[in-house]
Amino acid sequence: MDLNYIRRGAGRPLLLVHGIGGSWRSWNTVIDALAAERDVVAVDLPGHGETPALVGENSIRTFADALTSFLTRHGLLGIDAVGSSMGARLVLELARRGGVVGAVVSLDPGGFWQGWEVPFFYHSVSASVKLVKALQPVMPMLAGSAVGRTVLLPQFSARPWAVDARQAQEEMRTFANTPVFEELLDQLAHGEKQQAAPKGSISEPLVIGWGRQDRVCLPSQAKLALAKFPDARLYWFDNCGHFPQWDQPAETIKLILAATSGHGLPEAFAADQRQLQTSQPKVPTAAVVGSTLALLAGGVWLLASRRK
């Protein structure tokens, strides 16, 4: 099985890997600017977009195998890679394996939760996706207004009202229609833990970017990510939630191009890892519960209005 993909631009190849429930279109906010500088290859992961699901298990391990096979088939081994959310964990895994990718930018990677963070992640995302599925009849109306996006996206964005309306609608559509979503969500929360890459084992540039207001993969999880990938450098996005390409697209483009330029990340452009202990905004469970209830209330109100 091959992966569906699009290819734009010219220059040094750059792989884009979306998150759970997304597609190559998850990069719409940054892909044109990246393609102005690079030969961009954006894939649909198995069971996402126009790529069929794998036969058997759908997990980080099998997706990493599928990506490796794709890169081998297309003569792209050693390609620089950028991942978001689940895709961010995938590119970290490919970097850990060695010989698969070059420079890596991992944006808000999943899989570094511990203790109470596991059910927090699983149940909050599961509830959100169930509501998104239920609200599909009114999703164009909901995602098309700033008020609707404020109600719909607070778990994923620090500035949900400002998220591009078409991007929000596309992402909510694919969230609702990805057949492997529930299996992957369970695998991410309860499946195999991410293996570590010992210090010195990754020679290519590796940057982990994290939104300070991420309510899916909490900023405190960056500590474990750095412990497992000590060769990585950490970059904080201010005023940013789970998707930097939504909340800070210009800064995301700048980071990706700088980190994968072959010249390394300028010291002044990288966040100091010592900020880790002072840069973790607390995200009470009540905030996400409140957001979920607001989403439900907004959907009921819109449905009622539509009937009237």
Side-chain angles (χ1 to χ4, degrees):
M1 184 194 71
D2 204 1
L3 303 181
N4 180 61
Y5 69 99
I6 62 100
R7 195 162 186 172
R8 295 181 184 173
R12 185 173 168 179
L14 178 68
L15 176 69
L16 303 182
V17 186
H18 63 79
I20 185 172
S23 73
W24 72 260
R25 292 181 174 83
S26 297
W27 301 101
N28 276 342
T29 54
V30 299
I31 195 169
D32 288 341
L34 292 174
E37 303 282 341
R38 305 290 295 270
D39 173 14
V40 175
V41 180
V43 299
D44 286 342
L45 291 170
H48 293 73
E50 296 180 34
T51 299
L54 295 173
V55 176
E57 180 183 291
N58 289 272
S59 65
I60 292 295
R61 178 180 57 80
T62 60
F63 276 24
D65 291 343
L67 275 170
T68 302
S69 296
F70 170 82
L71 295 176
T72 302
R73 185 177 300 114
H74 291 274
L76 292 170
L77 286 174
I79 190 174
D80 298 335
V82 183
S84 170
S85 189
M86 179 184 71
R89 181 173 169 190
L90 278 168
V91 296
L92 287 176
E93 172 59 17
L94 294 181
R96 185 195 69 81
R97 293 183 177 191
V100 183
V101 292
V104 163
V105 178
S106 173
L107 301 173
D108 296 75
F112 297 100
W113 29 71
Q114 302 177 87
W116 65 269
E117 296 168 345
V118 175
F120 173 88
F121 161 75
Y122 179 80
H123 291 294
S124 63
V125 174
S126 178
S128 293
V129 171
K130 287 175 182 176
L131 288 170
V132 165
K133 288 182 177 181
L135 292 171
Q136 284 302 298
V138 294
M139 191 56 68
M141 185 193 313
L142 195 60
S145 73
V147 172
R149 292 192 297 279
T150 301
V151 170
L152 183 66
L153 302 174
Q155 186 178 6
F156 303 103
S157 171
R159 302 167 61 247
W161 58 87
V163 174
D164 180 80
R166 288 176 297 179
Q167 186 65 40
Q169 186 173 337
E170 170 65 22
E171 206 77 6
M172 295 302 99
R173 182 188 68 80
T174 57
F175 269 35
N177 294 289
T178 297
V180 296
F181 196 105
E182 287 80 7
E183 180 184 0
L184 282 171
L185 184 64
D186 183 63
Q187 284 281 351
L188 283 167
H190 309 116
E192 183 180 354
K193 297 185 185 303
Q194 177 60 54
Q195 297 181 51
K199 188 170 180 61
S201 64
I202 298 177
S203 58
E204 297 282 356
L206 173 58
V207 177
I208 297 175
W210 222 295
R212 291 188 190 274
Q213 287 76 40
D214 191 339
R215 298 181 178 92
V216 178
C217 300
L218 305 184
S220 58
Q221 293 163 16
K223 183 176 182 180
L224 179 58
L226 288 177
K228 290 200 171 189
F229 289 86
D231 292 320
R233 298 179 70 178
L234 179 66
Y235 182 86
W236 289 113
F237 287 93
D238 290 322
N239 301 312
C240 183
H242 187 58
F243 296 118
Q245 66 269 33
W246 285 10
D247 289 349
Q248 300 294 348
E251 189 176 356
T252 301
I253 293 163
K254 184 179 178 184
L255 175 65
I256 291 170
L257 293 177
T260 62
S261 65
H263 303 296
L265 198 62
E267 195 65 37
F269 192 56
D272 191 324
Q273 293 184 13
R274 289 175 296 181
Q275 295 180 19
L276 186 62
Q277 299 302 325
T278 60
S279 303
Q280 301 169 6
K282 294 182 179 179
V283 183
T285 305
V288 174
V289 172
S291 297
T292 302
L293 291 174
L295 173 59
L296 178 60
V300 171
W301 177 80
L302 281 171
L303 284 169
S305 300
R306 195 181 188 194
R307 290 194 185 98
K308 290 179 181 179

